[in-house]
Amino acid sequence: MPRLALFAIDLVAVTILVFGLYFPRHRRRDLVVAYLGVNVGVLAVAGALSSSTVGAGLGLGLFGVLSIIRLRSTELDQHEVAYYFSALALGILGPLSGGPAWLCPALMGLILVVMYFGDHPRLLRSYRRQILVLDTAITDHVALVAQLERILGARVHAATVERIDLVNETTTVEVRYSIDRKHAATREAEFAGVAR
């Protein structure tokens, strides 16, 4: 398959990834330009290096280092990191022309399908994660879980205490929990009633 066709397929794929999957689901505008820039940048450099005497491994290694620096420079959620590396992978696959003509487009399609289903809003939607600051210092784990379940109205799967302040009587805890659909519907109805 001609390289220009692979470049065009990459641009279509990253457009679907960013504007078809990421932005409609998460609405974070600043990452749109990051995903597009990373993809096109990797595509350009990998395309240039694949036809030069410089090893492609060196160029991709440099992009790996740059991506680590970029990921450390701001806080990203795990799903945003997954989109970031998907954009990188699409950009790397674009210039590759070895193997059957269908291989690179199929791998790009696989990335899009995995991201579509893996980040689908209906997948495991009752499972949540939050960091809470409680206005009491709770040192007993069983009492902490009971308090969290009462506050959240949900089943707590894990509660990790990050900080207990005995002077100010606060507990900072990361909690992973799930809510049942009936409870979620009731809370959404209550919220809708308050919003009116």
Side-chain angles (χ1 to χ4, degrees):
M1 182 175 285
R3 292 180 64 194
L4 287 178
L6 285 173
F7 288 4
I9 292 170
D10 168 72
L11 294 175
V12 170
V14 77
T15 301
I16 292 170
L17 180 76
V18 173
F19 295 108
L21 298 178
Y22 176 75
F23 191 73
R25 291 179 179 176
H26 303 289
R27 302 287 180 189
R28 191 166 167 188
R29 184 179 178 275
D30 60 326
L31 288 179
V32 168
V33 70
Y35 296 146
L36 293 174
V38 162
N39 177 269
V40 173
V42 169
L43 178 71
V45 171
L49 291 177
S50 67
S51 62
S52 71
T53 57
V54 179
L58 173 65
L60 295 177
L62 290 173
F63 267 100
V65 170
L66 291 174
S67 70
I68 291 170
I69 292 169
R70 169 68 181 100
L71 290 174
R72 290 173 57 99
S73 65
T74 185
E75 187 174 329
L76 295 177
D77 290 334
Q78 292 303 312
H79 68 275
E80 292 166 339
V81 172
Y83 279 100
Y84 196 90
F85 281 106
S86 295
L88 276 170
L90 291 173
I92 291 170
L93 285 172
L96 297 179
S97 57
W102 56 267
L103 183 61
C104 286
L107 291 173
M108 289 180 184
L110 178 64
I111 291 170
L112 293 175
V113 167
V114 167
M115 292 305 293
Y116 174 80
F117 287 109
D119 188 41
H120 199 280
R122 291 186 181 175
L123 180 67
L124 304 171
R125 68 179 174 184
S126 64
Y127 288 85
R128 313 263 168 88
R129 173 195 167 272
Q130 285 188 1
I131 296 177
L132 300 175
V133 179
L134 305 176
D135 62 354
T136 54
I138 304 173
T139 57
D140 179 20
H141 188 73
V142 174
L144 175 65
V145 169
Q147 176 80 349
L148 291 170
E149 287 183 343
R150 186 184 62 74
I151 290 170
L152 297 170
R155 179 171 179 240
V156 172
H157 299 287
T160 305
V161 175
E162 294 186 353
R163 184 169 185 241
I164 296 177
D165 187 340
L166 296 174
V167 174
N168 294 320
E169 297 271 331
T170 60
T171 304
T172 304
V173 61
E174 177 191 0
V175 59
R176 297 175 191 271
Y177 62 97
S178 62
I179 55 175
D180 61 19
R181 290 183 182 163
K182 263 194 258 181
H183 182 75
T186 304
R187 284 212 164 180
E188 287 175 10
E190 289 173 2
F191 179 73
V194 170
R196 288 183 200 148

